[in-house]
mmCIF file of all heavy atoms in Angstrom:
data_model
loop_
_atom_site.group_PDB
_atom_site.id
_atom_site.type_symbol
_atom_site.label_atom_id
_atom_site.label_comp_id
_atom_site.label_asym_id
_atom_site.label_seq_id
_atom_site.Cartn_x
_atom_site.Cartn_y
_atom_site.Cartn_z
ATOM 1 N N SER A 155 -6.679 -4.688 -0.187
ATOM 2 C CA SER A 155 -5.618 -4.502 -1.205
ATOM 3 C C SER A 155 -5.901 -3.225 -2.033
ATOM 4 O O SER A 155 -4.947 -2.595 -2.479
ATOM 5 C CB SER A 155 -5.578 -5.722 -2.107
ATOM 6 O OG SER A 155 -6.702 -5.781 -3.022
ATOM 7 N N PHE A 156 -7.159 -2.872 -2.179
ATOM 8 C CA PHE A 156 -7.473 -1.624 -2.875
ATOM 9 C C PHE A 156 -6.885 -0.421 -2.116
ATOM 10 O O PHE A 156 -6.300 0.488 -2.697
ATOM 11 C CB PHE A 156 -8.997 -1.416 -3.010
ATOM 12 C CG PHE A 156 -9.691 -2.467 -3.837
ATOM 13 C CD1 PHE A 156 -11.062 -2.685 -3.664
ATOM 14 C CD2 PHE A 156 -9.015 -3.250 -4.750
ATOM 15 C CE1 PHE A 156 -11.726 -3.644 -4.402
ATOM 16 C CE2 PHE A 156 -9.668 -4.217 -5.489
ATOM 17 C CZ PHE A 156 -11.028 -4.397 -5.337
ATOM 18 N N ASP A 157 -7.100 -0.458 -0.797
ATOM 19 C CA ASP A 157 -6.603 0.648 0.049
ATOM 20 C C ASP A 157 -5.091 0.734 -0.037
ATOM 21 O O ASP A 157 -4.512 1.839 -0.046
ATOM 22 C CB ASP A 157 -7.046 0.466 1.486
ATOM 23 C CG ASP A 157 -8.551 0.540 1.643
ATOM 24 O OD1 ASP A 157 -9.176 1.188 0.805
ATOM 25 O OD2 ASP A 157 -9.086 -0.077 2.578
ATOM 26 N N THR A 158 -4.428 -0.405 -0.069
ATOM 27 C CA THR A 158 -2.951 -0.415 -0.173
ATOM 28 C C THR A 158 -2.487 0.213 -1.473
ATOM 29 O O THR A 158 -1.567 1.037 -1.486
ATOM 30 C CB THR A 158 -2.439 -1.866 -0.086
ATOM 31 O OG1 THR A 158 -2.814 -2.454 1.170
ATOM 32 C CG2 THR A 158 -0.918 -1.905 -0.218
ATOM 33 N N THR A 159 -3.157 -0.143 -2.562
ATOM 34 C CA THR A 159 -2.796 0.427 -3.849
ATOM 35 C C THR A 159 -3.071 1.917 -3.888
ATOM 36 O O THR A 159 -2.289 2.700 -4.453
ATOM 37 C CB THR A 159 -3.562 -0.263 -4.987
ATOM 38 O OG1 THR A 159 -3.268 -1.659 -4.956
ATOM 39 C CG2 THR A 159 -3.156 0.303 -6.351
ATOM 40 N N MET A 160 -4.171 2.341 -3.256
ATOM 41 C CA MET A 160 -4.516 3.766 -3.284
ATOM 42 C C MET A 160 -3.507 4.605 -2.519
ATOM 43 O O MET A 160 -3.317 5.774 -2.814
ATOM 44 C CB MET A 160 -5.936 3.972 -2.729
ATOM 45 C CG MET A 160 -7.033 3.474 -3.670
ATOM 46 S SD MET A 160 -6.878 4.033 -5.371
ATOM 47 C CE MET A 160 -6.854 5.813 -5.167
ATOM 48 N N LYS A 161 -2.865 4.028 -1.495
ATOM 49 C CA LYS A 161 -1.806 4.748 -0.813
ATOM 50 C C LYS A 161 -0.646 5.031 -1.771
ATOM 51 O O LYS A 161 -0.002 6.085 -1.722
ATOM 52 C CB LYS A 161 -1.329 3.959 0.402
ATOM 53 C CG LYS A 161 -2.349 3.924 1.526
ATOM 54 C CD LYS A 161 -1.820 3.100 2.708
ATOM 55 C CE LYS A 161 -2.863 3.023 3.832
ATOM 56 N NZ LYS A 161 -2.378 2.211 4.969
ATOM 57 N N VAL A 162 -0.360 4.076 -2.654
ATOM 58 C CA VAL A 162 0.697 4.247 -3.631
ATOM 59 C C VAL A 162 0.262 5.290 -4.650
ATOM 60 O O VAL A 162 1.080 6.104 -5.099
ATOM 61 C CB VAL A 162 1.031 2.906 -4.325
ATOM 62 C CG1 VAL A 162 2.168 3.080 -5.332
ATOM 63 C CG2 VAL A 162 1.368 1.834 -3.289
ATOM 64 N N VAL A 163 -1.023 5.281 -5.015
ATOM 65 C CA VAL A 163 -1.529 6.268 -5.936
ATOM 66 C C VAL A 163 -1.354 7.659 -5.354
ATOM 67 O O VAL A 163 -0.866 8.591 -6.048
ATOM 68 C CB VAL A 163 -3.016 6.016 -6.244
ATOM 69 C CG1 VAL A 163 -3.593 7.191 -7.068
ATOM 70 C CG2 VAL A 163 -3.235 4.698 -6.950
ATOM 71 N N ALA A 164 -1.665 7.830 -4.088
ATOM 72 C CA ALA A 164 -1.552 9.145 -3.442
ATOM 73 C C ALA A 164 -0.110 9.646 -3.472
ATOM 74 O O ALA A 164 0.114 10.858 -3.592
ATOM 75 C CB ALA A 164 -2.042 9.054 -2.005
ATOM 76 N N ALA A 165 0.841 8.739 -3.379
ATOM 77 C CA ALA A 165 2.240 9.136 -3.372
ATOM 78 C C ALA A 165 2.758 9.442 -4.772
ATOM 79 O O ALA A 165 3.884 9.934 -4.922
ATOM 80 C CB ALA A 165 3.089 8.016 -2.753
ATOM 81 N N ASN A 166 1.971 9.139 -5.770
ATOM 82 C CA ASN A 166 2.403 9.322 -7.146
ATOM 83 C C ASN A 166 1.581 10.352 -7.907
ATOM 84 O O ASN A 166 1.691 10.428 -9.135
ATOM 85 C CB ASN A 166 2.348 7.982 -7.896
ATOM 86 C CG ASN A 166 3.533 7.086 -7.557
ATOM 87 O OD1 ASN A 166 4.615 7.210 -8.132
ATOM 88 N ND2 ASN A 166 3.338 6.187 -6.589
ATOM 89 N N LYS A 167 0.799 11.117 -7.212
ATOM 90 C CA LYS A 167 0.016 12.146 -7.908
ATOM 91 C C LYS A 167 0.908 13.286 -8.370
ATOM 92 O O LYS A 167 1.961 13.572 -7.766
ATOM 93 C CB LYS A 167 -1.064 12.683 -6.980
ATOM 94 C CG LYS A 167 -2.208 11.708 -6.752
ATOM 95 C CD LYS A 167 -3.330 12.363 -5.910
ATOM 96 C CE LYS A 167 -4.468 11.405 -5.713
ATOM 97 N NZ LYS A 167 -5.557 11.994 -4.892
ATOM 98 N N PRO A 168 0.536 13.969 -9.477
ATOM 99 C CA PRO A 168 1.330 15.099 -9.938
ATOM 100 C C PRO A 168 1.266 16.272 -8.985
ATOM 101 O O PRO A 168 0.269 16.465 -8.285
ATOM 102 C CB PRO A 168 0.673 15.424 -11.267
ATOM 103 C CG PRO A 168 -0.765 15.007 -11.092
ATOM 104 C CD PRO A 168 -0.693 13.771 -10.279
ATOM 105 N N LYS A 169 2.333 17.053 -8.957
ATOM 106 C CA LYS A 169 2.351 18.251 -8.104
ATOM 107 C C LYS A 169 1.402 19.319 -8.648
ATOM 108 O O LYS A 169 0.747 20.030 -7.902
ATOM 109 C CB LYS A 169 3.762 18.802 -8.004
ATOM 110 C CG LYS A 169 4.717 17.878 -7.196
ATOM 111 C CD LYS A 169 6.079 18.488 -7.043
ATOM 112 C CE LYS A 169 6.987 17.593 -6.232
ATOM 113 N NZ LYS A 169 8.352 18.162 -6.092
ATOM 114 N N LYS A 170 1.354 19.419 -9.981
ATOM 115 C CA LYS A 170 0.444 20.381 -10.626
ATOM 116 C C LYS A 170 -0.789 19.598 -11.122
ATOM 117 O O LYS A 170 -0.660 18.611 -11.839
ATOM 118 C CB LYS A 170 1.123 21.042 -11.817
ATOM 119 C CG LYS A 170 0.236 21.961 -12.602
ATOM 120 C CD LYS A 170 0.944 22.493 -13.810
ATOM 121 C CE LYS A 170 0.010 23.377 -14.663
ATOM 122 N NZ LYS A 170 0.672 23.840 -15.925
ATOM 123 N N THR A 171 -1.947 20.070 -10.731
ATOM 124 C CA THR A 171 -3.198 19.378 -11.115
ATOM 125 C C THR A 171 -3.578 19.744 -12.555
ATOM 126 O O THR A 171 -3.925 20.897 -12.834
ATOM 127 C CB THR A 171 -4.348 19.779 -10.171
ATOM 128 O OG1 THR A 171 -3.993 19.419 -8.835
ATOM 129 C CG2 THR A 171 -5.630 19.031 -10.560
ATOM 130 N N PRO A 172 -3.529 18.793 -13.467
ATOM 131 C CA PRO A 172 -3.863 19.127 -14.854
ATOM 132 C C PRO A 172 -5.374 19.221 -15.071
ATOM 133 O O PRO A 172 -6.145 18.467 -14.432
ATOM 134 C CB PRO A 172 -3.272 17.941 -15.644
ATOM 135 C CG PRO A 172 -3.279 16.809 -14.663
ATOM 136 C CD PRO A 172 -3.034 17.414 -13.313
ATOM 137 N N LYS A 173 -5.791 20.103 -15.971
ATOM 138 C CA LYS A 173 -7.174 20.140 -16.403
ATOM 139 C C LYS A 173 -7.332 19.057 -17.473
ATOM 140 O O LYS A 173 -6.595 19.050 -18.486
ATOM 141 C CB LYS A 173 -7.540 21.505 -17.012
ATOM 142 C CG LYS A 173 -7.638 22.624 -16.032
ATOM 143 C CD LYS A 173 -8.350 23.849 -16.643
ATOM 144 C CE LYS A 173 -7.678 24.296 -17.923
ATOM 145 N NZ LYS A 173 -8.372 25.454 -18.550
ATOM 146 N N VAL A 174 -8.286 18.183 -17.283
ATOM 147 C CA VAL A 174 -8.418 16.981 -18.117
ATOM 148 C C VAL A 174 -9.811 16.861 -18.700
ATOM 149 O O VAL A 174 -10.800 17.207 -18.044
ATOM 150 C CB VAL A 174 -8.101 15.721 -17.319
ATOM 151 C CG1 VAL A 174 -8.094 14.475 -18.195
ATOM 152 C CG2 VAL A 174 -6.743 15.861 -16.583
ATOM 153 N N ILE A 175 -9.913 16.395 -19.928
ATOM 154 C CA ILE A 175 -11.215 15.977 -20.442
ATOM 155 C C ILE A 175 -11.105 14.509 -20.837
ATOM 156 O O ILE A 175 -10.022 14.025 -21.177
ATOM 157 C CB ILE A 175 -11.703 16.798 -21.676
ATOM 158 C CG1 ILE A 175 -10.727 16.596 -22.852
ATOM 159 C CG2 ILE A 175 -11.902 18.248 -21.305
ATOM 160 C CD1 ILE A 175 -11.347 16.990 -24.187
ATOM 161 N N PHE A 176 -12.224 13.832 -20.745
ATOM 162 C CA PHE A 176 -12.322 12.444 -21.239
ATOM 163 C C PHE A 176 -13.069 12.504 -22.546
ATOM 164 O O PHE A 176 -14.239 12.905 -22.602
ATOM 165 C CB PHE A 176 -13.054 11.536 -20.259
ATOM 166 C CG PHE A 176 -13.086 10.087 -20.706
ATOM 167 C CD1 PHE A 176 -12.038 9.254 -20.434
ATOM 168 C CD2 PHE A 176 -14.169 9.625 -21.438
ATOM 169 C CE1 PHE A 176 -12.061 7.939 -20.877
ATOM 170 C CE2 PHE A 176 -14.196 8.290 -21.878
ATOM 171 C CZ PHE A 176 -13.133 7.456 -21.593
ATOM 172 N N LEU A 177 -12.377 12.123 -23.613
ATOM 173 C CA LEU A 177 -12.939 12.148 -24.959
ATOM 174 C C LEU A 177 -13.353 10.736 -25.363
ATOM 175 O O LEU A 177 -12.506 9.860 -25.487
ATOM 176 C CB LEU A 177 -11.924 12.720 -25.944
ATOM 177 C CG LEU A 177 -12.434 12.951 -27.381
ATOM 178 C CD1 LEU A 177 -13.549 14.006 -27.402
ATOM 179 C CD2 LEU A 177 -11.276 13.380 -28.272
ATOM 180 N N TYR A 178 -14.632 10.529 -25.583
ATOM 181 C CA TYR A 178 -15.158 9.243 -26.001
ATOM 182 C C TYR A 178 -15.400 9.291 -27.503
ATOM 183 O O TYR A 178 -16.187 10.115 -27.962
ATOM 184 C CB TYR A 178 -16.445 8.903 -25.245
ATOM 185 C CG TYR A 178 -16.996 7.543 -25.584
ATOM 186 C CD1 TYR A 178 -16.516 6.400 -24.945
ATOM 187 C CD2 TYR A 178 -18.025 7.373 -26.530
ATOM 188 C CE1 TYR A 178 -17.025 5.152 -25.228
ATOM 189 C CE2 TYR A 178 -18.538 6.126 -26.788
ATOM 190 C CZ TYR A 178 -18.032 5.012 -26.149
ATOM 191 O OH TYR A 178 -18.542 3.760 -26.438
ATOM 192 N N ALA A 179 -14.712 8.456 -28.239
ATOM 193 C CA ALA A 179 -14.802 8.514 -29.689
ATOM 194 C C ALA A 179 -14.947 7.134 -30.333
ATOM 195 O O ALA A 179 -14.291 6.189 -29.907
ATOM 196 C CB ALA A 179 -13.569 9.217 -30.241
ATOM 197 N N HIS A 180 -15.829 7.072 -31.309
ATOM 198 C CA HIS A 180 -15.904 5.867 -32.139
ATOM 199 C C HIS A 180 -15.072 6.100 -33.405
ATOM 200 O O HIS A 180 -14.511 5.171 -33.970
ATOM 201 C CB HIS A 180 -17.366 5.604 -32.538
ATOM 202 C CG HIS A 180 -18.200 5.131 -31.397
ATOM 203 N ND1 HIS A 180 -18.062 3.922 -30.804
ATOM 204 C CD2 HIS A 180 -19.234 5.755 -30.712
ATOM 205 C CE1 HIS A 180 -18.936 3.767 -29.825
ATOM 206 N NE2 HIS A 180 -19.646 4.876 -29.756
ATOM 207 N N SER A 181 -15.058 7.345 -33.868
ATOM 208 C CA SER A 181 -14.317 7.698 -35.061
ATOM 209 C C SER A 181 -14.046 9.200 -35.032
ATOM 210 O O SER A 181 -14.496 9.919 -34.111
ATOM 211 C CB SER A 181 -15.097 7.337 -36.320
ATOM 212 O OG SER A 181 -16.269 8.166 -36.404
ATOM 213 N N ALA A 182 -13.328 9.716 -36.031
ATOM 214 C CA ALA A 182 -13.032 11.145 -36.078
ATOM 215 C C ALA A 182 -14.265 12.008 -36.202
ATOM 216 O O ALA A 182 -14.265 13.186 -35.832
ATOM 217 C CB ALA A 182 -12.061 11.422 -37.217
ATOM 218 N N SER A 183 -15.348 11.445 -36.715
ATOM 219 C CA SER A 183 -16.592 12.213 -36.885
ATOM 220 C C SER A 183 -17.665 11.890 -35.863
ATOM 221 O O SER A 183 -18.776 12.394 -35.927
ATOM 222 C CB SER A 183 -17.176 11.905 -38.296
ATOM 223 O OG SER A 183 -17.438 10.531 -38.441
ATOM 224 N N ASP A 184 -17.317 11.048 -34.874
ATOM 225 C CA ASP A 184 -18.260 10.669 -33.843
ATOM 226 C C ASP A 184 -17.561 10.655 -32.488
ATOM 227 O O ASP A 184 -17.006 9.649 -32.062
ATOM 228 C CB ASP A 184 -18.835 9.273 -34.169
ATOM 229 C CG ASP A 184 -19.885 8.831 -33.169
ATOM 230 O OD1 ASP A 184 -20.271 9.629 -32.293
ATOM 231 O OD2 ASP A 184 -20.314 7.656 -33.235
ATOM 232 N N ALA A 185 -17.581 11.810 -31.831
ATOM 233 C CA ALA A 185 -16.877 11.927 -30.566
ATOM 234 C C ALA A 185 -17.652 12.812 -29.608
ATOM 235 O O ALA A 185 -18.369 13.732 -30.023
ATOM 236 C CB ALA A 185 -15.466 12.497 -30.770
ATOM 237 N N SER A 186 -17.490 12.549 -28.318
ATOM 238 C CA SER A 186 -18.170 13.355 -27.335
ATOM 239 C C SER A 186 -17.294 13.480 -26.067
ATOM 240 O O SER A 186 -16.355 12.695 -25.885
ATOM 241 C CB SER A 186 -19.532 12.748 -26.944
ATOM 242 O OG SER A 186 -19.371 11.402 -26.559
#
Side-chain angles (χ1 to χ4, degrees):
S155 73
F156 298 158
D157 296 334
T158 300
T159 301
M160 289 311 303
K161 289 180 181 178
V162 182
V163 173
N166 282 276
K167 288 184 178 180
K169 291 183 179 179
K170 176 185 176 184
T171 301
K173 289 195 304 179
V174 184
I175 63 162
F176 183 85
L177 186 64
Y178 183 82
H180 290 291
S181 67
S183 60
D184 183 7
S186 55

